[in-house]
Amino acid sequence: MRIIKYPQASEWPQLLARPVMDISKIEAIVAPILEQVKNGGDEALRKLTLQIDKVVLEHLQVTPAEIAEAHKQVSVALKNAIASAKSNIERFHQAQQPQTIEKIETQPGVVCWRKNVGIQKVGLYIPGGTAPLFSTVLMLGIPAAIAGCQEIALCTPANRSGQVHPAILYAADIVGIRKIYKIGGAQAIAAMAYGTESISKVFKIFGPGNQYVTAAKQLINKEGIAIDMPAGPSEVAVYADDSAHAGFIAADLLSQAEHGTDSQVILVSACEQLINQVKEEVDTQLKVLPRANLAEQALANSKAFLVHTQEEAIDLLNEYAAEHLILATADAEIVGEKIVNAGSVFLGNYTPESCGDYASGTNHTLPTNGFAKAYSGVSVDSFVKKITFQHISPEGLLQLGPAVEEMAAAEELLAHKNAVSIRLKQLATS
């Protein structure tokens, strides 16, 4: 990790910049894939899966027999761990159910209210390459079910034998997802966006993925298909004071670095001795990691910032707007109240980011690349639409109508004015 001592605030934007991807080159590869699926349906999906993933698919949808077999292949220990995570995620997300706004009489005879409705059809993308993310099935499937989504489709790549990882199938089954398809990559996003003979078109697509999946989501979003959020490589920032444990911090940094070569980790502290201790711990722990090569390359994009004060650290962290932010300080909750830009915050020395990734209850689908300044992580609300209603009585229109007529006339929208005037005239003669 590169150590940067006492940077000026004017330098922060440049120093905190994420690794840059040439999205135009990636989109040039992805756009033809989207077009092939749009025009070719299931046959295009089979051809692309053979061409890109080297997998021959007899059928696109996972069968009940395959799901039953997956139940047998998942160990009892993992089933118990998944059950614990599922319980916590359900409990946290059940509490997020939005309440319908009670009817509000904004003025006599004018009543307004709002109703929450689950998005009818949603699509979930679950990566299955270097790390089969069955935990993401829980993170997306549970809030979708709580929100009341009527149709939930899940796409995930199969291995060379045409099989989906059993833990992904098991997790999908226990959260009630039945429509599971053996499609990965940009072609999976296209299938859910446009629909094929086997896969219904959805209204919103969720889930992480590689740069091709991310580009596909961004491209279909331009065509009017909703997505969960803009996404980029995974990242973590850690703010630590002299009460922190260097070994813990190193482990947290490496837990994100092992995601991939384009991940980024940031350490911020006013204690130079701690930064040096963490750097030594990172080198030591890195040697025994199976994914050490990936983590080592990610660390090349990562930095440790030595700052003067806690206030400076907080300002720098709010500028960075990390996907995951760990506050390893003696006064973590007090510091946490001053954080305004972050996807998810982890307080204290015994709250590793890994717990949020898997089983504490919060959602791990979070905004990256600085988007935490404007976006939230996935929640039940992500799967819900809000529809407003209003009812105006004749007496209410008599009171409200003149104001609407005046405003419409001022905007020179006379048809708007007339929609009120014609009613007022009728009421005057009745």
Side-chain angles (χ1 to χ4, degrees), residues 277-355:
Q277 290 173 345
V278 170
K279 197 168 185 297
E280 290 176 10
E281 279 285 343
V282 166
D283 292 340
T284 300
Q285 294 182 27
L286 184 63
K287 294 173 183 176
V288 298
L289 289 179
R291 296 167 69 94
N293 184 49
L294 291 175
E296 195 167 24
Q297 293 179 67
L299 289 170
N301 299 322
S302 303
K303 303 176 179 74
F305 292 91
L306 178 63
V307 296
H308 292 99
T309 64
Q310 185 178 92
E311 289 70 25
E312 187 179 358
I314 292 167
D315 288 345
L316 187 148
L317 291 165
N318 279 326
E319 173 65 27
Y320 184 64
E323 176 189 17
H324 308 97
L325 173 59
I326 298 172
L327 301 178
T329 67
D331 56 349
E333 288 203 26
I334 294 172
V335 175
E337 287 300 313
K338 300 175 182 178
I339 297 300
V340 295
N341 296 326
S344 191
V345 182
F346 303 78
L347 303 175
N349 288 313
Y350 293 92
T351 314
E353 183 272 323
S354 304
C355 289

Side-chain angles (χ1 to χ4, degrees), residues 24 32 47 76 138 155 157 161 173 184 186 194 208 211 219 221 234 269 284 312 333 366 381 389 395 401 426 429:
S24 61
K47 287 180 179 178
V76 172
L138 304 178
C155 285
S161 301
D173 191 46
Y194 304 128
Q211 56 191 357
L219 285 171
N221 189 224
S234 189
S269 181
T284 300
E312 187 179 358
E333 288 203 26
L366 301 166
D381 212 40
F389 292 79
E395 294 75 16
Q426 189 271 335
T429 60

Side-chain angles (χ1 to χ4, degrees), residues 232-250:
S234 189
E235 61 196 30
V236 67
V238 180
Y239 170 51
D241 63 14
D242 55 11
S243 72
H245 190 293
F248 294 176
I249 296 169

Side-chain angles (χ1 to χ4, degrees), residues 126-149:
I126 307 298
T130 59
L133 299 184
F134 62 86
S135 59
T136 303
V137 178
L138 304 178
M139 296 291 177
L140 298 178
I142 288 172
I146 291 171
C149 299

Side-chain angles (χ1 to χ4, degrees), residues 376-395:
S376 308
V378 164
S379 65
V380 171
D381 212 40
S382 306
F383 294 88
V384 170
K385 301 177 302 174
K386 297 167 177 64
I387 305 173
T388 57
F389 292 79
Q390 55 207 283
H391 180 263
I392 302 174
S393 68
E395 294 75 16

Side-chain angles (χ1 to χ4, degrees), residues 81-333:
I82 290 173
S84 178
K86 178 176 180 286
S87 175
N88 289 344
I89 295 165
E90 282 178 335
R91 181 173 297 180
F92 184 71
H93 287 75
Q94 283 281 6
Q96 298 173 12
Q97 290 189 80
Q99 300 298 312
T100 295
I101 293 177
E102 295 295 326
K103 292 182 178 181
I104 304 297
E105 192 170 41
T106 57
Q107 69 179 67
V110 180
V111 181
C112 303
W113 67 100
R114 190 176 74 175
K115 183 174 76 170
N116 301 295
V117 181
I119 298 171
Q120 283 181 294
K121 300 178 182 182
V122 297
L124 315 182
Y125 183 78
I126 307 298
T130 59
L133 299 184
F134 62 86
S135 59
T136 303
V137 178
L138 304 178
M139 296 291 177
L140 298 178
I142 288 172
I146 291 171
C149 299
Q150 294 176 14
E151 291 186 31
I152 306 172
L154 186 154
C155 285
T156 190
N159 62 21
R160 293 293 177 89
S161 301
Q163 302 299 312
V164 173
H165 195 284
I168 289 177
L169 295 183
Y170 176 78
D173 191 46
I174 66 169
V175 300
I177 301 172
R178 301 290 177 261
K179 295 182 176 182
I180 307 168
Y181 302 95
K182 302 178 181 182
I183 305 296
Q187 59 269 31
I189 303 303
M192 293 187 284
Y194 304 128
T196 72
E197 296 88 337
S198 298
I199 303 173
S200 297
K201 176 180 178 178
V202 302
F203 302 148
K204 190 172 183 179
I205 296 175
F206 296 77
N210 62 21
Q211 56 191 357
Y212 300 101
V213 169
T214 298
K217 287 174 66 180
Q218 291 172 336
L219 285 171
I220 61 101
N221 189 224
K222 293 178 183 178
E223 298 183 40
I225 305 298
I227 61 173
D228 45 6
M229 68 189 76
S234 189
E235 61 196 30
V236 67
V238 180
Y239 170 51
D241 63 14
D242 55 11
S243 72
H245 190 293
F248 294 176
I249 296 169
D252 289 328
L253 296 174
L254 288 168
S255 74
Q256 282 302 298
E258 74 172 353
H259 268 293
T261 59
D262 53 1
S263 295
Q264 188 179 52
V265 300
I266 297 291
L267 172 61
V268 181
S269 181
C271 179
E272 186 169 8
Q273 181 182 1
L274 178 67
I275 290 176
N276 291 329
Q277 290 173 345
V278 170
K279 197 168 185 297
E280 290 176 10
E281 279 285 343
V282 166
D283 292 340
T284 300
Q285 294 182 27
L286 184 63
K287 294 173 183 176
V288 298
L289 289 179
R291 296 167 69 94
N293 184 49
L294 291 175
E296 195 167 24
Q297 293 179 67
L299 289 170
N301 299 322
S302 303
K303 303 176 179 74
F305 292 91
L306 178 63
V307 296
H308 292 99
T309 64
Q310 185 178 92
E311 289 70 25
E312 187 179 358
I314 292 167
D315 288 345
L316 187 148
L317 291 165
N318 279 326
E319 173 65 27
Y320 184 64
E323 176 189 17
H324 308 97
L325 173 59
I326 298 172
L327 301 178
T329 67
D331 56 349
E333 288 203 26

